[in-house]
Amino acid sequence: MYINFWYPICTGAELPPDAPLRSRVLGMTFVAFRDDNGAAHVLSDTCVHRGGSLSNGKVADGCIACPYHGWRYSGDGRCHEIPAQRGRGKPPARAKVDSYPVEEKYGIVFAFLGDLPEEERPPLYEIREFDQDGWRASEIMILNIACYYERSMENGLDMVHNEFVHPLQGNPSVETKDIEVTTLPWGNRVSAPMGEPQFGKTRMADLRDDPTDIGASSWHYGPNVLVTSIDLSAENNLTQYFFEAPIDRDHTKIYFVNMRNCMLDPALDDRVRDINLTVTAEDVAILEALYPVRTPRTTTKEILSPGDECIVQFRACLKDWEQRGWRIDSKALADDHGDTAYAIPCPQRRHSGNWVLDPIPLLPVQAQD
Ligand code: FES
Ligand SMILES: [Fe+2]
């Protein structure tokens, strides 16, 4: 798991105007809440007084108030009020918690979990067709899966599994010679012709307006955004966006947005949703049984074949981000569980010191030969 990327924290609908919400991402706990203007904020959940869980507190005057002794933190993470010391000066400068940049988009509250300054951050993934005429978005689907998120990401970049895991969709064989892998900013794309699959009882051919070839491609953006685009024809497209929140080393929550520029009748929403959920359930059955749970750290413990090329490239990206010092040392974190409260460092840490919680342990950058 990596710091310095955008992660989904909750859906916008889950976060009420007047109450906080607890969210677990990257093995850490966060509190989300809305201020008086409705803007969402995401803070580290641990109160720096004596460890209260802010997400059990209350939203008051646009701040989050700790349930234990009522310290109030605003959206920027600063403590503005210590009720037991009212009238006796300001809270100390150290009374602050990490606050993360937030964007609410596509009905999802995203937080940038890391300390990179704005100009160096990978931007939040842009769904270009969102809110465009001629496109329809599904309601967000939430998938809670008992697997490590990298396994799910790799599954999405794997064209060969379709024939075996999704046989009812009539997926044809993919020849590895037809698979193409290309590099993108912050990711890689894999594409292949798709033959003539069918969704349940619906053949692709029945859904399209013209007879051009069907193709599919998938790409990852950063460690946790996976996109699958299916061209039913030159004009008709379904694109699936998985914004993955690694909850911890064993669990993943996926925020699934489906876009389509065909079957636009809202009455077809349920059918499209059923197709998506059927296919996803087939993947989940495989993912939850993979062993080891987490991807091996060395390629000598698997036999990667030409059909796995995009997975190899995905792992190369992960290695690169590890070499930038962004990979969380999950084992160290697990060993320390219950003894030390850590925080993912927020951008403000680059400008001010004097933080109460230590930054989360990160794997050391290895010396290059
Ligand atoms: S622990 Fe939060 S106010 Fe005391
Ligand atoms: Fe699949």
Side-chain angles (χ1 to χ4, degrees), residues 150-159 161 283 287 311:
E150 278 178 24
R151 293 294 205 177
S152 161
M153 293 291 295
E154 292 189 353
N155 180 62
L157 301 173
D158 171 357
M159 291 273 174
H161 84 280
D283 286 315
L287 292 173
I311 289 159

Side-chain angles (χ1 to χ4, degrees), residues 47 49-52 54 66-71 73:
C47 177
H49 175 217
R50 280 179 32 231
L54 295 176
C66 178
Y68 204 177
H69 314 94
W71 288 27
Y73 299 86

Side-chain angles (χ1 to χ4, degrees), residues 69-111:
H69 314 94
W71 288 27
R72 284 190 181 189
Y73 299 86
S74 53
D76 63 3
R78 296 197 59 80
C79 174
H80 291 278
E81 190 182 331
I82 298 178
Q85 288 177 211
R86 254 184 222 117
R88 276 182 282 147
K90 284 196 202 153
R94 283 189 93 207
K96 59 186 176 185
V97 298
D98 290 78
S99 163
Y100 305 94
V102 169
E103 280 196 47
E104 191 165 349
K105 230 173 164 181
Y106 322 130
I108 300 169
V109 175
F110 294 93

